[in-house]
Amino acid sequence: MIARNRELARTLALWLALAIGAALAGNALAGLRGAALGIGAAMAAAAPFLILTYRRYRALRTMAGNLDAVLHGERELSFDRMDEGEIAVLASELDKMVLRLTLTADDLAAERTRLADALADISHQLKTPLTALSLTTELVRKDLSADGARPQTVERLRQIEALEMRVEDLVSTLLRLAQLDAGALAFAREPVAVASLTERAAAPLAIAFDLADVELVQDIEDGASFAGDAAWTTEALGNVLKNCLEHTPAGGRVTVSAREDLIACRIRVTDTGPGIAEADLPHIFERFYRGSAASADRGEKRSGGSPAPDGAALVIPAGVGIGLSLARALVTAQGGTLTAENARDASGAVTGALFTFTFFKDVAV
């Protein structure tokens, strides 16, 4: 305790110097008996100070322990057993501060709950009319298809259905991002097998891969796994796979590989597309960032659209730039990282885009 408190150490050093001075003075005046009396007087004078100092530091140590307990989740804090004095005043102020912080934390938790409920209500209110609109459009399209008339109108209705599905996906994604920002999403922490994770993430995109003539290759190390939330990580990986698919030309390949070591489990997704423009790399995970015009054009061509009767093409945009942002947010919320770079061959030439998921292992200290 003395070594950590310079003020106390200096005070004890001064007292020791005074005690030695008193002993020397007593020895000069009355010999050894005078020296003993001088030391005894110095110790008697120092005893109340030492006792008071010990009690003060013991009270401070108790306060420090209580505050440390609060920092580790303890909600109750009381200094009722402190005596009156400046230490008690300090303890009372700290008690008030902790009480205020506790009330603020409770208010924030309640606000997050209210926000989560509000987002759920908004989601329901938006999805209900969108679902009704999609069903109505589908029924009209089927009726026109059955009649065999107005094929151009049927094709337009088919594209409207696709746009409606995109709006539903956009609404769902925006709501998830809002819930992440509000801290209203709960994440499980359980063993996740990368092989099954990849299968679940790729399943909804199987038809899209076939239509685009893009091969999906899996190179997963046996037993590779990490601790996280399987459902949310599936969505994050699915968003990255979709992005790679949209930027890989026909005849290309998207590869998912995974390796596990003592530090982390790393999942890498690479494609054989043109890669990511250097100017886009710092912004690739920003919300609503669409990248270069060339990238946008590639995405629009992949989605495609049949020409309208007047010769103008109805093009469905590839996306609005929030899929990768959501993917990183979902991974970061689990304590992992998601990075993007360009894959290169031995000569340094760009061979496609490379996304790396890293889920670190818990290290016991």
Side-chain angles (χ1 to χ4, degrees):
M1 180 177 68
I2 296 176
R4 291 184 300 171
N5 296 277
R6 295 182 179 179
E7 181 182 359
L8 179 59
R10 286 194 296 265
T11 302
L12 290 177
L14 178 60
W15 170 82
L16 183 60
L18 292 175
I20 293 175
L24 293 176
N27 182 61
L29 295 175
L32 292 177
R33 184 172 181 178
L37 290 174
I39 294 176
M43 294 182 63
F49 165 77
L50 293 175
I51 294 173
L52 177 61
T53 300
Y54 172 76
R55 294 182 63 185
R56 287 164 62 91
Y57 278 100
R58 184 177 62 180
L60 290 173
R61 187 165 56 248
T62 300
M63 291 168 55
N66 289 336
L67 290 175
D68 186 66
V70 171
L71 292 175
H72 286 81
E74 181 65 40
R75 300 301 297 270
E76 298 294 332
L77 180 64
S78 177
F79 298 104
D80 293 339
R81 287 176 287 181
M82 296 290 182
D83 295 330
E84 294 185 358
E86 64 272 18
I87 297 295
V89 172
L90 175 60
S92 177
E93 295 302 317
L94 286 173
D95 204 357
K96 294 176 185 177
M97 180 190 71
V98 171
L99 178 60
R100 170 55 60 188
L101 291 176
T102 300
L103 293 176
T104 301
D106 290 340
D107 290 341
L108 289 174
E111 185 65 26
R112 284 197 298 268
T113 301
R114 287 193 293 270
L115 180 57
D117 293 339
L119 291 173
D121 292 339
I122 293 172
S123 176
H124 176 73
Q125 294 298 327
L126 288 173
K127 286 184 176 181
T128 299
L130 284 173
T131 301
L133 183 60
S134 297
L135 291 174
T136 302
T137 305
E138 182 180 2
L139 289 174
V140 173
R141 178 181 58 79
K142 287 182 177 180
D143 288 342
L144 289 176
S145 298
D147 293 341
R150 307 186 68 178
Q152 295 89 353
T153 303
V154 171
E155 181 58 29
R156 286 182 180 274
L157 288 172
R158 193 185 306 278
Q159 293 180 353
I160 290 174
E161 287 182 279
L163 287 171
E164 289 168 348
M165 292 179 61
R166 293 192 62 80
V167 171
E168 290 186 22
D169 291 341
L170 175 60
V171 169
S172 298
T173 301
L174 288 174
L175 287 170
R176 289 190 187 94
L177 284 171
Q179 289 175 317
L180 279 169
D181 291 341
L185 284 183
F187 290 87
R189 191 161 184 83
E190 55 190 9
V192 179
V194 179
S196 59
L197 170 74
T198 305
E199 292 290 341
R200 290 195 300 271
L205 300 170
I207 297 177
F209 270 94
D210 289 340
L211 293 176
D213 190 24
V214 174
E215 181 185 9
L216 178 62
V217 179
Q218 298 185 37
D219 179 22
I220 311 296
E221 181 181 63
D222 290 340
S225 65
F226 62 91
D229 190 297
W232 290 121
T233 310
T234 297
E235 180 164 349
L237 180 57
N239 286 346
V240 172
L241 289 174
K242 181 176 180 293
N243 182 272
C244 290
L245 170 63
E246 290 176 347
H247 295 88
T248 302
R253 182 175 64 256
V254 175
T255 303
V256 181
S257 61
R259 299 291 183 270
E260 182 180 0
D261 54 37
L262 296 177
I263 299 177
C265 177
R266 295 176 175 85
I267 306 172
R268 292 182 171 87
V269 182
T270 58
D271 62 38
T272 56
I276 305 170
E278 292 298 327
D280 295 337
L281 273 174
H283 311 286
I284 195 70
F285 292 106
E286 293 179 5
R287 295 181 188 179
F288 305 108
Y289 186 78
R290 295 294 305 277
S292 63
S295 296
D297 290 342
R298 284 194 299 272
E300 291 174 352
K301 290 177 182 178
R302 173 54 49 82
S303 296
S306 299
D310 57 3
L314 287 175
V315 179
I316 301 174
V320 295
I322 57 175
L324 292 180
S325 177
L326 176 60
R328 170 175 269 189
L330 290 171
V331 173
T332 302
Q334 300 178 63
T337 62
L338 174 58
T339 60
E341 59 186 303
N342 283 318
R344 300 179 184 272
D345 58 18
S347 64
V350 174
T351 59
L354 167 61
F355 294 89
T356 304
F357 296 76
T358 304
F359 295 95
F360 299 97
K361 294 182 178 295
D362 294 329
V363 179
V365 179

